[in-house]
Amino acid sequence: MLKQLKTDTQKVLALGYFLERIEGIESFNIKDLEKIFHAAKERPPKNLNDAVNKNIARGFVMNAQQKKDSMKAWC
């Protein structure tokens, strides 16, 4: 089933899910999201942090316990 992702927030959530479930990454950071957006041939949002924060506010993403590559990470 294909999902129509209309907002940057939805795209970040879907690609974060892909990173965790398909790629097996425990947590992801901004660099991971930028790479997966390019791999998906999608333009990353201008404010990627804002899209992540909106998913945090909705309870879909949370801060990871540890940083990844010295950067804030989420799961």
Side-chain angles (χ1 to χ4, degrees), residues 58-74:
R58 294 172 66 199
F60 297 138
V61 174
M62 66 182 199
N63 291 319
Q65 290 183 344
Q66 296 182 6
K67 291 185 176 185
K68 183 177 180 192
D69 301 327
S70 300
M71 300 176 78
K72 189 172 189 171
W74 308 281

Side-chain angles (χ1 to χ4, degrees), residues 25-69:
I25 296 173
E26 267 186 51
S27 61
F28 53 91
N29 60 23
I30 288 293
K31 297 269 187 210
D32 294 325
L33 287 172
E34 289 172 346
K35 286 180 191 175
I36 198 69
F37 265 94
H38 289 292
K41 295 183 173 53
E42 285 284 329
R43 186 177 314 162
K46 290 182 182 181
N47 192 342
L48 203 45
N49 280 318
D50 183 55
V52 172
N53 287 332
K54 286 179 180 175
N55 278 309
I56 290 171
R58 294 172 66 199
F60 297 138
V61 174
M62 66 182 199
N63 291 319
Q65 290 183 344
Q66 296 182 6
K67 291 185 176 185
K68 183 177 180 192
D69 301 327

Side-chain angles (χ1 to χ4, degrees), residues 5 8-21 23 28 32-40 42-45 48:
L5 305 173
D8 290 338
T9 305
Q10 291 173 340
K11 291 176 185 178
V12 165
L13 181 60
L15 292 174
Y17 178 87
F18 178 84
L19 287 170
E20 282 193 346
R21 298 297 178 165
E23 296 292 315
F28 53 91
D32 294 325
L33 287 172
E34 289 172 346
K35 286 180 191 175
I36 198 69
F37 265 94
H38 289 292
E42 285 284 329
R43 186 177 314 162
L48 203 45

